Amino acid sequence: MNLSDSQTGGPGPRRVSAMEAVLSHLRNAIERGDYAIGDKLPSEAELCRTLEVSRPVLREALRALQTMGLTVSRTGKGTFVVARTVEDPTFGDYAASDLLEVRRHIEIPVAGYAATRRTPENLDHLAHLLDRMERETDTTAWVAMDTLFHLAVAEAAQNPVFRRVIEEIRDALARQSAFLNELGGRREQSNREHRAIVEALIDGSEHDAVAAMAHHLDRVETTLTDIVRPRRTDIPTEGGPEA
């Protein structure tokens, strides 16, 4: 079995990366019952050899399986199946559903407050950060700036409690962002949504800021749902072994 490492965007079904293909293969095997609850997955070396992918690609897929709640990794023992179906992914200490519920109750009104309370310094910081995000090509660096963006919006609301709440969930936000970008190709869409939020803050429009943040979180939820309950429209790429 050979799984390529390329990925392209554009209209129509999105081609998948090698990591996504490996994840889909292992997830399908678990959901079919090829690996029962309690079973240990083959070793990394065996999976790399069988699927013809590199160890970094495989490890990314194994981390995604664990985030989805299908497996657990036990140091020195391997990866074990703990569930047959994906229920609610976990990002750090928080389930995705709990994280999104809190974000809706906090970040949407915070965006409204930020629109009426932001300072010129807040706007300069957000504009600079957004420009950097739109130019960034490294996913890890972009994810770090994504969390900084949401912290900056909270700061613009001029209430330190809002920032403290976002700080508390910062690690979970970063994990969720990385997950959605790796499996959902969210980066460009997120940049556009972030741009709409900043434009609303610049205009001082509470209504537009609230609507822009609500739309952003709606898209996060939609992408997450598509990953958890895929419609299976992705097309694997062709090519040689992943090096």
Side-chain angles (χ1 to χ4, degrees), residues 126 129 133 145-153 194 197-198:
L126 280 162
L129 190 56
M133 293 176 74
M145 287 186 283
D146 187 23
T147 59
L148 289 176
F149 177 86
H150 287 275
L151 279 169
V153 173
H194 289 160
I197 293 168
V198 171

Side-chain angles (χ1 to χ4, degrees), residues 157-197:
Q158 311 304 326
N159 183 328
V161 179
F162 288 143
R163 179 185 169 87
R164 180 63 63 88
V165 172
I166 302 302
E167 281 280 10
E168 169 61 29
I169 62 174
R170 184 174 181 175
D171 177 65
L173 290 179
R175 290 171 184 261
Q176 183 184 68
S177 180
F179 183 78
L180 294 178
N181 277 282
E182 187 64 52
L183 298 180
R186 277 273 306 158
R187 193 190 314 173
E188 289 186 8
Q189 188 179 63
S190 286
N191 283 340
R192 290 193 295 271
E193 293 158 12
H194 289 160
R195 175 67 65 181
I197 293 168

Side-chain angles (χ1 to χ4, degrees), residues 7 12 43 60 64 69 77-78 85 89 112 129 193 200-202 225 232 239:
Q7 176 175 320
S43 68
E60 289 250 358
K77 295 183 179 179
T85 59
L129 190 56
E193 293 158 12
L201 299 189
I202 291 171
T225 299
R232 305 196 184 283

Side-chain angles (χ1 to χ4, degrees), residues 76-226:
K77 295 183 179 179
T79 299
F80 295 82
V81 176
V82 294
R84 282 281 303 277
T85 59
V86 179
E87 297 296 335
D88 196 1
T90 300
F91 300 107
D93 296 329
Y94 305 110
S97 59
D98 292 339
L99 186 62
L100 186 61
E101 182 178 46
V102 168
R103 294 188 70 185
R104 286 190 181 282
H105 280 83
I106 298 295
E107 291 195 80
I108 292 175
V110 160
Y113 290 130
T116 60
R117 300 174 180 173
R118 81 289 185 276
T119 66
E121 291 76 19
N122 292 143
L123 294 178
D124 286 345
H125 177 51
L126 280 162
H128 177 66
L129 190 56
L130 186 57
D131 287 342
R132 288 177 58 200
M133 293 176 74
E134 291 175 340
R135 294 193 305 268
E136 185 57 63
T137 58
D138 179 75
T139 297
T140 301
W142 187 93
V143 164
M145 287 186 283
D146 187 23
T147 59
L148 289 176
F149 177 86
H150 287 275
L151 279 169
V153 173
E155 284 182 346
Q158 311 304 326
N159 183 328
V161 179
F162 288 143
R163 179 185 169 87
R164 180 63 63 88
V165 172
I166 302 302
E167 281 280 10
E168 169 61 29
I169 62 174
R170 184 174 181 175
D171 177 65
L173 290 179
R175 290 171 184 261
Q176 183 184 68
S177 180
F179 183 78
L180 294 178
N181 277 282
E182 187 64 52
L183 298 180
R186 277 273 306 158
R187 193 190 314 173
E188 289 186 8
Q189 188 179 63
S190 286
N191 283 340
R192 290 193 295 271
E193 293 158 12
H194 289 160
R195 175 67 65 181
I197 293 168
V198 171
E199 288 175 354
L201 299 189
I202 291 171
D203 292 341
S205 172
E206 180 179 1
H207 176 273
D208 289 350
V210 165
M213 184 64 79
H215 175 69
H216 177 54
L217 296 182
D218 283 344
R219 297 309 304 163
V220 167
E221 182 175 19
T222 297
T223 304
L224 186 61
T225 299
D226 287 344

